[in-house]
Amino acid sequence: YFEGTHFSPGNQNDLEGILVSMQLAREASWKKKVVMWTGSRRNCGCGFNNPALKFCRYVGDKDCIPQYCEGFVQTDGVEPTALLEKDFEIALAEFLMIVEKWSYGSFSISPDASCEPWRWDWSHMDLFNKPLGQPLGPPLKSGHTFSRHFEHLSVKLSLKKTDYEESAHGVGGDVTFLPSL
């Protein structure tokens, strides 16, 4: 079970948490273990919809909304589709780098099913409807860039450090989905 993969202890660089988590998930798959990957890049529950709450000014600030939730909370129930799709692209690409026969993924902004459905049910996303097929081999890694080819789709993920406010705990990336040749 992999959760909180975008958090790194203070003595590691910001990408170390996701890189190590991906490697450990691959190793578990090689040992024919069931892998549950929670690709949630943030936890922005409906409790943050309280208009009295303000956004945190710095990491570690208390009684405030984490900056990485900006755009995902206090939306008056309107789904922030573009933000969700960008978040999901990166989360799905990370999952596709580790996926094997007994791998399962979960993607959400909040595990709280009492919130608006778009926070925890992403089944309507277009990326879920693309044909994938079997992997044509393991992922290839060069630095912080991963690529993997499937029967019907190729994925390239370049992980990078970003501003804390912009992404999940400073981990972002560029993703490319292409039909396989």
Side-chain angles (χ1 to χ4, degrees), residues 11-75:
N11 61 348
Q12 293 179 340
N13 74 48
D14 290 330
L15 295 178
E16 197 69 20
I18 187 64
L19 294 171
V20 169
S21 295
M22 290 170 72
Q23 181 61 36
L24 290 171
R26 296 277 312 142
E27 290 175 18
S29 295
W30 297 332
K31 295 175 181 178
K32 300 186 182 344
K33 304 288 185 191
V34 173
V35 171
M36 178 61 194
W37 184 266
T38 58
S40 304
R41 301 175 50 71
R42 60 193 86 237
N43 187 351
C44 303
C46 48
F48 291 135
N49 282 337
N50 180 346
L53 286 175
K54 303 297 180 211
F55 285 94
C56 302
R57 292 182 310 216
Y58 53 88
V59 177
D61 212 352
K62 302 282 186 219
D63 300 320
C64 54
I65 303 168
Q67 290 180 1
Y68 63 78
C69 289
E70 190 167 355
F72 295 95
V73 297
Q74 300 178 349
T75 64

Side-chain angles (χ1 to χ4, degrees), residues 98-142:
I98 63 106
V99 70
E100 292 296 339
K101 182 175 182 179
W102 298 105
S103 300
Y104 300 90
S106 169
F107 309 96
S108 65
I109 294 300
S110 172
D112 186 350
S114 69
C115 293
E116 305 93 336
W118 58 262
R119 290 186 193 275
W120 52 270
D121 179 8
W122 292 8
S123 61
H124 65 286
M125 295 282 189
D126 286 340
L127 280 175
F128 269 129
N129 298 313
K130 292 188 180 288
L132 182 62
Q134 294 294 316
L136 300 178
L140 305 174
K141 180 180 182 284
S142 176

